[in-house]
Amino acid sequence: MEHKQKVIVIDFGGQYNQLVARRVRENHVYCEITSYRTPLDKIKEMDPMGIILTGGPNSVFEEDSATAPRELFELGVPVLGLCYGAQLMMHVLGGSVDHAPEREYGKTPLTVDDEKSPLFAGLPENSIVWMSHNDYIKTPAAGFHITSHTANCPVASAEDPSRNLYAIQFHPEVLHTEYGKDILKNFVIDVCGCSGDWQMSSFAEKTIKELKEKIGDGKALCALSGGVDSSVAAVLLSKAIGKNLTCVFVDHGLLRKDEGDMVSRVFGPEGPYELNFVRVDAKDLFYSKLAGVTEPEKKRKIIGEEFIRVFEHEAKKIGKVDYLVQGTIYPDVVESGLGGESATIKSHHNVGGLPDYVDFKEIVEPLRYLFKDEVRAVGLHLGIPRELVMRQPFPGPGLGIRIIGDVTEEKVKIVQDADAIFREEMEKAGLNKTAGQYFAALTNMRSVGVMGDERTYDYAIALRAVNTVDFMTADIVEIPYEVLKTVTSRIINEVSHVNRVLYDITSKPPGTIEFE
Ligand code: GLN
C-alpha cells in the first residue's frame, strides 16, 4: 500500500521501536519501521519525508555495533536520532561518544539551552524526560550545537538545523517524557513538513480501491474468527470484491455466549455486507475430539488442528481460490522479526509460512501495517458494530482453555453463562472502561454446598480481571466488593451446577493472563 508522506523509523534494536512508530502515527503521519541493515538505496526508494533512528543495546564505538552510513545523513531528509540513534549520528559525523561517568536511568529533569530549537518550540525551559543510557555524547560533531542538558548529561540534545539533523539522548516516545509527544510532533510536522492527513477513513477507502484493482475478478477466501482483525479484513475485502469473497466461520462450540450468532448476524445473509458466508457448526466434532483430554497444551493442539481440518474441508468445496485473506497486523510483523530489528519474540501464525492446506495463489493482508487501535478505528469507520470492534482479546482455542480439565458441552454452557453475567455486571459498573481483560473460567474443583436446605456438590467458577499494557506482565483489577458480591450471587442463582465463586488475584508473573 503506497502512502505519499511517510516517515521511516530505522530500528537499532531498542525496546521502544514500536512506540516510536505509534507516536508518529498519532500525528496522522504514516510511518514504517525498517531494520538498520536496510540498504541505503532501498531507503531512498521509500522516499521518506523524515527518518528517525531508534535506541539500541550496543555502544556505537564498539566493533560490530549496528551502524549507519554517512550518506544517510546527506540525503537532504531530516534525521532525528534517539538515544543510540543520537550517539550514532555523532559518532558517524565526527563527534565523540564514550562511556558516561554517570549513567542515567529513569525520570530526569531537563533544561533547554536553546529555546529557538524547532524541536522544543512551545516547551517550557524545564521539564522531565525519560533517560536510559550508559554511554553519552561527549562532544557533538562539527556544525552541531547543544540544545539541552541534564545534571549528569551535558548533551541531552544537539542539532544542526542547517542540515536538519537532530540528536536527542532521552526517549521522547516514552510517556514518562512530559513533552515527548510535542517534540515528536514538532519533528514530523514542522521539521519534516508532513501535513498530518493520514486518516483511517482515507486508509479504508484507498485500501478498498487497491484491493479492487489487485484482485479484479479473482476469488478470495477468509477464515473468520469473529475477532477484530479478521472481521475488519473481511469487511475491506467484501467492499472491494463482494461475492467473490467467501468467509468461512468455524464454530467450534467454544465461543463466548451468543458469539457465533452475533458473527452470523453481522456477516451472514441478513447482515449489511455482500459476501459468501459459510458457518460451519463443528461443535460435536470438537467436543468428541476433546473428550477426556485434560492437559492444556494437548487441548490447544487438538483445537488448532481440527480447526485447520474443518477449514480445509470447506475450502476444498469452493475449489481453487486466488487469494487467502489474513488479518495480520503490524505488531505481528514486527514481532516476527520481519519489519524491524527486534529479536524474534514469537513466531506468529499469521506471518511467514504459508498454509499449505488451501490451494491459492497469494496471501493478502490488508491490515499488515496497522496497529490494533488503528484496526479498530478502521472497523468503526466501516460501520462494524462497536461491540465486535471493541471486544476483548479472546484466545483462539476459546473456552476450551478456560475450562480446567476435560471439556464437555455441559461445562461449556456453565462457563458461557457465568462469563456473560460477569461481563454484564462489569459493564453496568462501568469497569469495562478501565479493566483490560476479564472473564470467568471453570475450575475443575467441586465442593460441598448447601442450597435450599439441600446438599450440593458442584463446581467453583473463577473470576479473573487484569490490566496489561504489553501482555508480558499484568496487574489484577481491584473490583469493588459490591460488584463481586452481585456477580457471585447472580452466578450462583442463575447458573446451575455452580455453588462457589472465587476471585483470582494472582498477577502475571507468576500467573498468566489466561486461566488454563
Ligand atoms: N546502548 C546505548 C547506551 O547505553 C544506547 C541506549 C539506548 O539507546 N537506550 O547509552
Side-chain angles (χ1 to χ4, degrees):
M1 313 280 147
E2 261 307 296
H3 308 288
K4 264 212 266 50
Q5 296 196 340
K6 75 168 78 140
V7 166
I8 295 179
V9 172
I10 300 187
D11 183 358
F12 289 91
Q15 2 164 13
Y16 309 123
N17 57 13
Q18 286 199 34
L19 269 186
V20 178
R22 289 185 64 116
R23 296 280 169 263
V24 172
R25 289 204 196 169
E26 278 167 10
N27 290 296
H28 302 289
V29 172
Y30 181 69
C31 157
E32 266 179 50
I33 304 174
T34 191
S35 162
Y36 73 91
R37 293 174 218 263
T38 311
L40 191 66
D41 281 347
K42 186 89 189 292
I43 293 197
K44 271 198 239 171
E45 242 170 63
M46 292 166 97
D47 194 21
M49 292 192 59
I51 294 173
I52 300 178
L53 315 180
T54 72
N58 307 121
S59 283
V60 290
F61 43 81
E62 265 157 21
E63 236 176 286
D64 299 331
S65 284
T67 188
R70 193 182 172 89
E71 293 77 27
L72 182 74
F73 303 99
E74 294 165 351
L75 295 173
V77 177
V79 184
L80 171 66
L82 305 178
C83 202
Y84 185 86
Q87 297 165 0
L88 187 67
M89 183 185 286
M90 294 305 149
H91 181 71
V92 171
L93 298 177
S96 85
V97 178
D98 206 345
H99 289 302
E102 302 279 351
R103 45 183 295 219
E104 286 179 305
Y105 185 82
K107 291 185 182 177
T108 311
L110 176 91
T111 305
V112 174
D113 301 310
D114 176 7
E115 81 280 9
K116 290 204 188 67
S117 163
L119 289 191
F120 297 137
L123 261 66
E125 189 184 343
N126 294 300
S127 66
I128 298 295
V129 299
W130 182 258
M131 285 288 192
S132 168
H133 64 118
N134 302 313
D135 305 337
Y136 79 133
I137 300 165
K138 211 168 167 177
T139 19
F144 282 82
H145 68 274
I146 296 170
T147 53
S148 71
H149 71 273
T150 70
N152 291 321
C153 186
V155 190
S157 62
E159 67 189 40
D160 179 352
S162 69
R163 287 187 286 170
N164 263 330
L165 301 179
Y166 301 84
I168 302 184
Q169 182 58 67
F170 55 91
H171 290 277
E173 70 274 25
V174 175
L175 293 179
H176 299 306
T177 296
E178 238 178 317
Y179 296 96
K181 282 185 174 186
D182 305 79
I183 295 171
L184 287 170
K185 179 174 184 200
N186 286 342
F187 179 70
V188 295
I189 305 291
D190 297 334
V191 175
C192 302
C194 295
S195 49
D197 58 3
W198 151 256
Q199 297 285 357
M200 285 304 114
S201 51
S202 57
F203 169 87
E205 262 68 84
K206 214 158 121 220
T207 305
I208 292 166
K209 188 164 157 270
E210 283 165 359
L211 287 169
K212 227 179 235 165
E213 282 161 15
K214 181 185 166 102
I215 301 181
D217 294 331
K219 290 202 181 319
L221 175 67
C222 175
L224 203 59
S225 70
V228 184
D229 306 338
S230 67
S231 297
V232 174
V235 172
L236 284 171
L237 263 294
S238 132
K239 300 229 175 207
I241 62 166
K243 288 269 183 202
N244 279 335
L245 169 71
T246 302
C247 284
V248 174
F249 169 51
V250 179
D251 184 348
H252 50 24
L254 303 165
L255 297 164
R256 284 167 286 198
K257 190 176 183 178
D258 299 332
E259 195 164 31
D261 293 340
M262 179 181 153
V263 173
S264 299
R265 265 201 309 279
V266 175
F267 292 99
E270 269 82 61
Y273 306 111
E274 200 194 353
L275 54 95
N276 286 309
F277 177 72
V278 182
R279 176 175 179 174
V280 192
D281 179 2
K283 239 175 39 219
D284 295 337
L285 172 78
F286 278 84
Y287 294 159
S288 77
K289 292 279 174 191
L290 287 168
V293 182
T294 54
E295 222 259 305
E297 265 312 295
K298 201 151 170 221
K299 288 196 274 184
R300 279 181 183 264
K301 273 228 171 70
I302 292 173
I303 298 167
E305 256 165 44
E306 281 317 304
F307 191 91
I308 291 177
R309 291 288 92 77
V310 175
F311 183 64
E312 174 183 52
H313 184 77
E314 288 308 315
K316 289 229 165 90
K317 288 192 200 157
I318 302 160
K320 187 169 167 49
V321 290
D322 303 286
Y323 298 93
L324 185 69
V325 183
Q326 298 211 321
T328 314
I329 66 171
Y330 205 39
D332 303 333
V333 175
V334 176
E335 284 172 16
S336 302
L338 297 177
E341 192 48 38
S342 56
T344 305
I345 297 167
K346 56 178 180 192
S347 59
H348 197 275
H349 61 280
N350 276 337
V351 185
L354 306 183
D356 55 6
Y357 50 88
V358 182
D359 194 7
F360 66 98
K361 252 186 5 211
E362 203 184 320
I363 287 200
V364 279
E365 301 172 313
L367 308 174
R368 197 182 162 82
Y369 293 105
L370 301 192
F371 288 106
K372 192 81 173 188
D373 49 340
E374 295 174 322
V375 173
R376 290 200 160 116
V378 173
L380 291 176
H381 171 76
L382 291 171
I384 304 176
R386 180 169 276 275
E387 47 173 350
L388 209 163
V389 171
M390 291 313 201
R391 66 165 38 159
Q392 305 178 31
F394 186 59
L399 299 180
I401 60 161
R402 289 183 182 168
I403 293 170
I404 309 296
D406 67 326
V407 176
T408 64
E409 187 161 7
E410 184 192 42
K411 287 184 183 172
V412 171
K413 174 98 173 65
I414 294 175
V415 75
Q416 276 179 338
D417 289 344
D419 181 66
I421 291 171
F422 185 30
R423 282 188 286 135
E424 201 183 303
E425 292 301 327
M426 288 288 278
E427 273 159 43
K428 261 196 222 153
L431 290 165
N432 57 319
K433 298 193 187 80
T434 47
Q437 220 172 318
Y438 50 94
F439 56 86
L442 183 62
T443 73
N444 207 21
M445 184 196 84
R446 293 170 77 192
S447 62
V448 174
V450 55
M451 264 169 112
D453 282 347
E454 232 179 287
R455 179 186 189 272
T456 59
Y457 185 61
D458 273 326
Y459 289 108
I461 277 283
L463 304 177
R464 182 130 179 86
V466 296
N467 266 326
T468 175
V469 181
D470 51 10
F471 295 95
M472 308 298 279
T473 59
D475 289 324
I476 63 136
V477 175
E478 295 186 21
I479 302 176
Y481 271 109
E482 281 316 308
V483 179
L484 288 172
K485 279 196 270 187
T486 310
V487 173
T488 302
S489 84
R490 278 197 61 195
I491 291 177
I492 306 270
N493 284 320
E494 296 171 36
V495 186
S496 32
H497 301 299
V498 177
N499 67 357
R500 242 171 243 274
V501 175
L502 312 174
Y503 182 36
D504 180 5
I505 54 168
T506 319
S507 61
K508 173 184 181 178
T512 57
I513 292 174
E514 284 299 330
F515 191 111
E516 69 181 301

